[in-house]
Amino acid sequence: MRRDLEQVLDEYLVLLARDGSRPALEQLVGRWSPRLQRHAARTLGDREAARDVVQDTWVAALRGLARLDDPARFPAWLYAIATRRCVDLIRTRGRARRLSEGLEAQPPGPPRIDADIGLDLTAALARLPADQRLVASLFYGEGLDIEAVAVVAGVPVGTVKSRLHHARSALKTFLEGDSS
């Protein structure tokens, strides 16, 4: 297994941060916050809420960093925390909506796209079921390998492959214009 310098640097920073190095922790936060922000924004569809999720993710990560046995697993571990925070927020929003409306919340329909707008990958991703959107976002958007996506999503590798296959098919259909 060949690791690139970025991975080695992250592992080194994790080890230093676990030992209490504030500069190492600040570097980790600086290196990973933009990635977490993109992931949370894609998952939630709300940049402001994504910022809050990223802050909550770092709080939880700092509390649990000492329990992270393998620094090489840091990216998957961090994305898993962020994903859980996103899911928690989505659930909370759903409950609040049901209480305020007095009805069972219905998931929003797919976004409408005018023909003259053209290719809109964000809208295409938003049309995917949540489980497919998550794995596609992590695999393509964040560059995690299939094993890391499996850890983040909490599913077997085969399930990740299946969800990626279905996501690719749905995206292809949508982006080719057959969004029926």
Side-chain angles (χ1 to χ4, degrees):
M1 174 171 78
R2 184 174 180 266
R3 298 179 308 174
D4 68 12
L5 290 176
E6 293 292 316
Q7 290 171 315
V8 173
L9 176 59
D10 285 334
E11 292 173 28
Y12 179 66
L13 291 172
V14 167
L15 290 171
L16 291 175
R18 274 196 336 203
D19 289 338
S21 170
R22 186 176 182 94
L25 179 60
E26 289 171 357
Q27 274 193 285
L28 281 172
V29 170
R31 289 171 55 81
W32 283 93
S33 287
R35 299 175 203 184
L36 293 174
Q37 179 71 31
R38 283 191 312 267
H39 170 63
R42 274 194 302 263
T43 303
L44 297 169
D46 180 346
R47 290 179 194 254
E48 289 299 317
R51 284 190 193 103
D52 293 340
V53 163
V54 170
Q55 287 180 344
D56 291 345
T57 298
W58 281 114
V59 169
L62 293 176
R63 288 183 181 148
L65 192 58
R67 293 186 304 272
L68 178 63
D69 294 331
D70 183 2
R73 296 179 52 91
F74 178 75
W77 177 76
L78 192 60
Y79 277 116
I81 294 170
T83 301
R84 282 192 302 272
R85 296 290 185 254
C86 288
V87 168
D88 290 347
L89 182 59
I90 290 167
R91 284 182 185 143
T92 301
R93 284 179 175 173
R95 285 186 202 117
R97 189 174 355 162
R98 285 191 299 272
L99 288 174
S100 68
E101 294 174 357
L103 300 169
E104 186 68 27
Q106 295 295 320
R112 291 193 46 144
I113 299 176
D114 298 328
D116 57 272
I117 292 177
L119 179 67
D120 189 346
L121 189 55
T122 303
L125 281 170
R127 293 184 68 148
L128 292 175
D131 57 349
Q132 292 175 19
R133 184 173 56 245
L134 174 65
V135 297
S137 173
L138 291 170
F139 185 76
Y140 294 113
E142 298 304 324
L144 293 182
D145 62 23
I146 289 181
E147 291 78 16
V149 173
V151 170
V152 172
V155 296
V157 169
T159 302
V160 170
K161 289 179 181 179
S162 173
R163 288 178 183 175
L164 277 173
H165 171 76
H166 291 296
R168 278 188 214 109
S169 296
L171 288 171
K172 180 180 178 190
T173 300
F174 178 73
L175 294 173
E176 286 178 345
D178 183 16
S179 60
S180 54

